[in-house]
Amino acid sequence: MLPMLQKHTLITAALLATLTLSACGKKKDVISAPPENAKKTGEANTNGQIGGGLPDPNRPDDSNPPLPEPIPEPRKPTPGGSTQQPNPLPLPPTAPTAPTQPPKPTTPPVVDTRPAPAPGSNQLPPDYRTNDPGNATRDNLSKRMTGGVTSDGLVYTSSSTDDLLNYLRARNEKVGYETRRANLEAASSVLSAKMTVDGMSGDAIVTLKVQEGNDVKVYNVAGASSNGGYASPLRSVRAGNGEKSTGSRALEGTLKCMDLDGGCETTFVRLKIGTSPSSAIINVVFRNSAADLYFQLPGEYSSNPEYLGLRDIIRSTIQGLNVPERIKTVRMSSFEVVNGRSGVALSMKTANNELLAFAGPLLAPEAGTGVNINLSRIAKDQEDTLDLISLDNTKLNLANTIGEARMVANNGLGQVRLALKMRKRGSYAQDQFLVTFMRKIKPLIDLTDDNLK
């Protein structure tokens, strides 16, 4: 989304034999569980960082956690015993079955809004670490929420720990009743938002999909991504991000890069839609940054060569092998409409350009982190319904081996956990595993009205 930004490719991965499956013909895993001190809440070691990256902004003096212990070499079958960690098998002569089409993710409508929290009322505990996967299911943390609530009582959340959404929600509550009502209606009508920046020119394009009656209208605005520290103006354009503008209302606004170091991993876009006296303000926060990974693989698994190939990629990544079959970059991208919807795209890309990516709404219960949300699986036979991932220069062979992706936890602070299930292939069991994405968060500029201009 922001190709000119410096890319940090720090990947944190660990293998934990926890997701036990009960299927016939499975083989025992020889990967041991992490040390006990890696499991303590708030003190968990993410068992390996590969490459370089920014330190935790809350603990600037921390050093990177150590690499994991080397994974044992696969054991050979023992006579009369179970087969240990097999080498990848050749593909069977029969063609694989077509991947099952999972339900496409939806972005439930916003039916209510929550008031902004009082300043200083939702502080994080001092032991919170952005790269501790245990925090993905920690229930005593204060989420950062957009303010939008669905009919099921789920809340749309942020994907970061900063207070930008809280600040913008509180600011909207200071305006008059009619203005606030118009702003809330406009926010709830936004189905999705996308921002891209040209790496050469620095030009930014923002695309909104807006529900207007029974129709979905597309609006595009464009402008510079930086303006000497000040917000850059955005003006309506006929097309952008592969979408033609179909909406008839006026749209203009500003774009402000929020990173303390001058970068644009977090960007604030303020848009005015319509003309007076029926205009409204839509505030959107875009985030695009590197992320850490934490894998939880099953202790027993089938001989499905597609799954074995995926395991090899994970092993090569952890061991830091300089091979094409390793995860090279991990990204987390999101849009967050103040008092409206939010969505996230999560992507892993290998050194040989295989893309494994998923997208869906950023929803969570107001208390707790557990969810069960179908995600869009980026594959040759499907589209990214949230328009957050570019398929340029990518291969999707690996993506097509995944039959189902669900978000099972979202802590509302930049950590989400996915449950991935392999596609049906012959008589093999559909292996399942968990992966936690954890945004690498950069500090923001001070949140004042002047700094947002």
Side-chain angles (χ1 to χ4, degrees), residues 22-36:
S22 57
C24 62
K26 295 192 173 181
K27 298 180 168 48
K28 296 266 181 124
D29 196 349
V30 300
I31 299 173
S32 60
E36 285 300 316

Side-chain angles (χ1 to χ4, degrees), residues 138-218:
R138 189 171 169 183
D139 291 339
N140 64 338
L141 301 172
S142 299
K143 298 178 181 66
R144 305 307 190 247
M145 300 180 287
T146 69
V149 184
T150 72
S151 58
D152 293 331
L154 296 177
V155 298
Y156 282 102
T157 76
S158 176
S159 65
S160 185
T161 57
D162 61 59
D163 286 318
L164 181 54
L165 284 183
N166 291 340
Y167 182 88
L168 295 171
R169 290 167 62 192
R171 191 165 73 165
N172 187 62
E173 293 175 359
K174 298 176 182 179
V175 301
Y177 172 79
E178 288 299 327
T179 300
R180 185 167 67 253
R181 180 189 59 79
N183 293 347
L184 293 176
E185 289 181 357
S188 66
S189 71
V190 178
L191 302 179
S192 67
K194 179 180 182 179
M195 187 185 78
T196 58
V197 178
D198 185 275
M200 297 296 293
S201 66
D203 292 339
I205 299 176
V206 176
T207 302
L208 298 186
K209 292 185 177 179
V210 179
Q211 188 76 46
E212 295 184 0
N214 294 326
D215 299 325
V216 176
K217 300 295 185 181
V218 177

Side-chain angles (χ1 to χ4, degrees), residues 20-21 62 73 92 97 139 148 165 173 185 199 216 232 238 241 247 250 289 291 309 361-362 377 379 396 439:
T20 303
L21 301 178
D62 279 357
E73 290 299 318
T97 58
D139 291 339
L165 284 183
E173 293 175 359
E185 289 181 357
V216 176
S232 303
R238 294 182 179 180
N241 293 322
S289 60
L362 263 176
R377 176 180 56 85
L396 297 171
R439 179 187 294 282

Side-chain angles (χ1 to χ4, degrees), residues 378-396:
I378 312 305
K380 292 178 181 178
D381 55 351
Q382 286 186 302
E383 294 181 354
D384 168 23
T385 57
L386 293 181
D387 297 325
L388 289 172
I389 297 175
S390 171
L391 299 182
D392 294 342
N393 301 317
T394 59
K395 294 182 287 187
L396 297 171

Side-chain angles (χ1 to χ4, degrees), residues 53-308:
L54 293 167
D56 184 339
N58 296 319
R59 298 170 180 257
D61 297 326
D62 279 357
S63 60
N64 289 339
L67 288 171
E69 293 296 322
I71 299 174
E73 290 299 318
R75 297 182 184 175
K76 298 185 180 298
T78 56
S82 61
T83 305
Q84 302 287 338
Q85 182 74 28
N87 290 321
L89 300 177
L91 292 176
T94 57
T97 58
T100 304
Q101 294 286 343
K104 287 193 175 184
T106 58
T107 52
V110 174
V111 300
D112 196 7
T113 56
R114 294 284 187 267
S121 64
N122 59 348
Q123 297 296 314
L124 293 175
D127 65 344
Y128 184 83
R129 297 289 299 275
T130 59
N131 64 348
D132 177 0
N135 287 324
T137 54
R138 189 171 169 183
D139 291 339
N140 64 338
L141 301 172
S142 299
K143 298 178 181 66
R144 305 307 190 247
M145 300 180 287
T146 69
V149 184
T150 72
S151 58
D152 293 331
L154 296 177
V155 298
Y156 282 102
T157 76
S158 176
S159 65
S160 185
T161 57
D162 61 59
D163 286 318
L164 181 54
L165 284 183
N166 291 340
Y167 182 88
L168 295 171
R169 290 167 62 192
R171 191 165 73 165
N172 187 62
E173 293 175 359
K174 298 176 182 179
V175 301
Y177 172 79
E178 288 299 327
T179 300
R180 185 167 67 253
R181 180 189 59 79
N183 293 347
L184 293 176
E185 289 181 357
S188 66
S189 71
V190 178
L191 302 179
S192 67
K194 179 180 182 179
M195 187 185 78
T196 58
V197 178
D198 185 275
M200 297 296 293
S201 66
D203 292 339
I205 299 176
V206 176
T207 302
L208 298 186
K209 292 185 177 179
V210 179
Q211 188 76 46
E212 295 184 0
N214 294 326
D215 299 325
V216 176
K217 300 295 185 181
V218 177
Y219 289 88
N220 289 290
V221 290
S225 61
S226 62
N227 187 26
Y230 295 96
S232 303
L234 298 173
R235 298 286 183 263
S236 290
V237 292
R238 294 182 179 180
N241 293 322
E243 300 274 0
K244 292 183 178 180
S245 298
T246 59
S248 60
R249 289 188 287 175
L251 185 68
E252 62 180 5
T254 56
L255 180 154
K256 171 76 175 184
C257 295
M258 299 296 296
D259 297 352
L260 183 61
D261 63 4
C264 295
E265 290 191 5
T266 296
T267 306
F268 167 52
V269 172
R270 183 180 186 271
L271 299 170
K272 176 183 177 183
I273 189 168
T275 55
S276 298
S278 59
S279 63
I281 299 298
I282 299 173
N283 293 316
V284 188
V285 175
F286 293 97
R287 305 183 195 273
N288 179 37
S289 60
D292 296 336
L293 287 179
Y294 184 89
F295 290 97
Q296 294 170 262
L297 301 185
E300 296 182 350
Y301 51 93
S302 76
S303 298
N304 181 351
E306 292 181 343
Y307 178 66
L308 297 179

